[in-house]
Amino acid sequence: MAKTALITGITGQDGAYLAQHLLSHGYTVYGLLRRSASAEIIGERLRWLGILDDVKLIDGDLIDLSSCIRNLETARPDEIYNLAAQSFVATSFQQPLLTGAVTGLGAANMLEAMRIVCPKARFYQASSSEMFGKIQEQLQTERTPFYPRSPYAVAKLYAHWMTVNYRESFGMHASSGILFNHESPLRGIEFVTRKVTDGVARIKLGLARELRLGNLSATRDWGHARDYVQAMHLMLQQDTPDDYVIATNRTTSIRDFCQMAFSHVGLNWQDHVVTSADLLRPSEVDVLHGDASKAREAFGWVAKTSLEDMVAEMVEADLARHRARIAAPAPSQL
Ligand code: NDP
Ligand code: GDR
C-alpha cells in the first residue's frame, strides 16, 4: 500500500530532494510550511525540481507544539522526517536561543506530537557531524564521543539524545542519521560550497572580481544531498531503529574546494579569494572525516557522486542561473 510521509524542513535543500525521492517511490508527501511575508520565494527549491504541485504543504512551525500535533492529525504519516532547523552554524553564535528552540526543542516537539498522535509511525532525526566538533577520533563513527563546538551543535546533540531516549523509553521507531556535510545546486547561498560556486560564476561572468571567505584551512567530508536523502529513507525501512553515520570517507579543505571550483572555469582561485577575519567563527570545527561502514553493511548505502562531479554540477548550475538573470532581469515582485 502507498505510504504517507511528513517532512519538516521541506523547503530546504534536503527536504526538497527527499520529497522528490519519496514521490518517485509512490509516497504521498506532506510538508510543513512556516508562514512568511515573502511567500513567493518559499517554494523555490521544490519548483526548481518540478515538484511544487506534487506535495501537500501544510502550515506549521516546529516551535509550536499545537501545530505539530495538528499537522500529524492531518497527514497521519507512516514516516516522519524531521529536517527543520536553524541550520547555519555561524548564525547560531548570534542567535543561540532561537537555535536551541528550533533545532533542539523543535525536535522534542515533533517526538511528543508523534507520541500523542501516531506512536506507531517511524521517525527520522537529522543529526549532524557537527556533534563531533572537536574531534575525539581521526575517523568518526557512531561510537566516537561527541564534543560540540557551537550552539547549533549543542542543540543538535539534545535533539539526537531525545531521539535515542524516545526510542528506548517508549519503544518508538526513531532513528538518527548523523550526516556529514552534503551539498548541491540547492544548497543555501550562505554555506561555503555554494558561496564559492556562486562566486566563481559571478567572477567568470564579470559580475564580481573577488570572493571573501573566512577560514580556508578547515576540512569537510562533502557528499551530494541527492545521495544522502536516500540514506534517510533507507534508515526508516529497517525493522529496527538505530543511528547511522552517513559520509564519503574523504575530507577536503576549503582551500582545495576553491581550487577545484575556480579551475572548472579556467580561473586561478588565488587571483580572486580574499580572506576576512569577520568571517571567522568564535570556535571552529577544524576537521570532519566520516566512516559510513555501518550504513553500508546494514542497508548497502554508499556515496555515489564524487566531489569533482558535484563541484562541476554546482558551478554549472550557478553559471546558468546568472546567465538567465543577465538575459532576463526579474521584475520586482512589489
Ligand atoms: P536548510 O537550512 O536548507 O533547511 C532548513 C529547513 O528548516 C527549511 O525548510 C526551513 O524553512 C525550516 N525551518 C527553519 N526553522 C523552522 C521552524 N521554526 N519551523 C518549521 N520549519 C523551519 O537545511 P538542509 O536542508 O541543509 O538540512 C536539513 C537538516 O539536516 C537540518 O536539520 C540540518 O541542520 C541537518 N543537517 C544538514 C547537513 C547538511 O550538510 N546539509 C548535515 C547534517 C545535518 P524556511 O524555508 O522557511 O526557512
Ligand atoms: P558547516 O558548513 O558549518 O560545516 O555546517 P559551512 O559551509 O557554513 O562551513 C564549512 C566550513 O567552511 C568555513 N568557511 C566558511 N563558511 C561559510 N559559511 N562562509 C564563509 O565565508 C567561509 N569561509 C570559510 C567554515 O568556517 C567552516 O569551517 C554545515 C551545515 O549544513 C550544518 O547544518 C550541518 O549540520 C553541517 O554542515 C554538517
Side-chain angles (χ1 to χ4, degrees):
M1 215 174 75
K3 289 186 189 168
T4 298
L6 173 76
I7 303 174
T8 75
I10 195 166
T11 54
Q13 170 188 257
D14 291 8
Y17 279 113
L18 178 63
Q20 183 183 49
H21 182 67
L22 296 179
L23 286 167
S24 77
H25 280 73
Y27 279 63
T28 300
V29 176
Y30 285 84
L32 202 70
L33 186 70
R34 59 180 174 149
R35 198 262 158 189
S36 164
S38 309
E40 71 280 359
I41 55 164
I42 252 189
E44 267 316 297
R45 292 186 174 95
L46 296 164
R47 191 175 291 119
W48 203 81
L49 292 174
I51 56 169
L52 183 57
D53 296 333
D54 302 331
V55 297
K56 298 174 190 289
L57 298 175
I58 44 180
D59 279 359
D61 194 301
L62 218 58
I63 62 176
D64 184 323
L65 174 62
S66 64
S67 79
C68 297
I69 291 173
R70 255 192 302 279
N71 283 317
L72 291 182
E73 284 171 341
T74 302
R76 291 278 158 194
D78 301 294
E79 296 171 10
I80 301 164
Y81 295 87
N82 185 42
L83 310 186
Q86 191 303 95
S87 76
F88 190 38
V89 172
T91 290
S92 77
F93 289 102
Q94 302 303 325
Q95 300 178 27
L97 302 182
L98 175 100
T99 304
V102 179
T103 306
L105 281 172
N109 280 338
M110 281 309 296
L111 283 162
E112 262 307 274
M114 173 174 156
R115 185 156 77 105
I116 292 165
V117 179
C118 48
K120 298 281 179 228
R122 296 183 173 195
F123 183 88
Y124 173 85
Q125 170 58 22
S127 285
S128 165
S129 54
E130 281 291 298
M131 301 188 310
F132 296 121
K134 189 172 176 183
I135 55 167
Q136 303 295 297
E137 285 178 322
Q138 277 314 110
L139 204 54
Q140 297 94 57
T141 71
E142 297 78 7
R143 292 175 307 284
T144 303
F146 298 120
Y147 193 140
R149 293 271 281 174
S150 64
Y152 166 80
V154 173
K156 278 289 178 192
L157 204 44
Y158 170 78
H160 177 77
W161 281 115
M162 285 299 275
T163 304
V164 174
N165 185 257
Y166 272 56
R167 177 166 82 217
E168 293 177 353
S169 306
F170 306 118
M172 283 165 44
H173 196 295
S175 295
S176 183
I178 307 174
L179 270 53
F180 283 61
N181 298 52
H182 45 280
E183 321 292 314
S184 73
L186 296 183
R187 186 55 142 152
I189 198 91
E190 66 275 37
F191 298 94
V192 75
T193 53
R194 181 75 201 293
K195 187 174 171 183
V196 170
T197 60
D198 177 74
V200 165
R202 284 173 189 273
I203 292 167
K204 182 68 182 172
L205 298 175
L207 302 171
R209 293 162 70 113
E210 66 173 34
L211 174 64
R212 301 189 86 77
L213 296 175
N215 176 15
L216 302 182
S217 299
T219 81
R220 291 291 184 273
D221 182 328
W222 279 301
H224 198 301
R226 208 172 29 224
D227 294 345
Y228 283 40
V229 299
Q230 295 180 17
M232 299 176 185
H233 179 230
L234 285 166
M235 273 178 226
L236 295 205
Q237 309 318 305
Q238 305 312 301
D239 291 339
T240 312
D242 206 340
D243 306 323
Y244 298 92
V245 159
I246 298 298
T248 68
N249 204 341
R250 169 182 176 186
T251 192
T252 306
S253 68
I254 315 298
R255 192 175 285 107
D256 288 345
F257 187 96
C258 288
Q259 193 275 326
M260 292 167 78
F262 276 88
S263 68
H264 181 74
V265 296
L267 294 174
N268 179 0
W269 72 274
Q270 283 158 312
D271 295 338
H272 302 283
V273 171
V274 177
T275 53
S276 168
D278 296 351
L279 293 167
L280 299 177
R281 296 177 179 178
S283 57
E284 178 62 290
V285 171
D286 297 320
V287 179
L288 288 173
H289 191 179
D291 176 356
S293 302
K294 180 175 166 182
R296 190 186 65 236
E297 282 156 24
F299 44 82
W301 184 88
V302 285
K304 293 187 197 116
T305 312
S306 72
L307 183 58
E308 288 75 9
D309 286 350
M310 187 179 75
V311 171
E313 182 187 343
M314 291 176 70
V315 172
E316 290 299 330
D318 280 318
L319 282 167
R321 283 188 181 107
H322 286 295
R323 285 192 182 115
R325 277 179 208 136
I326 293 167
S332 168
Q333 300 289 330
L334 298 177

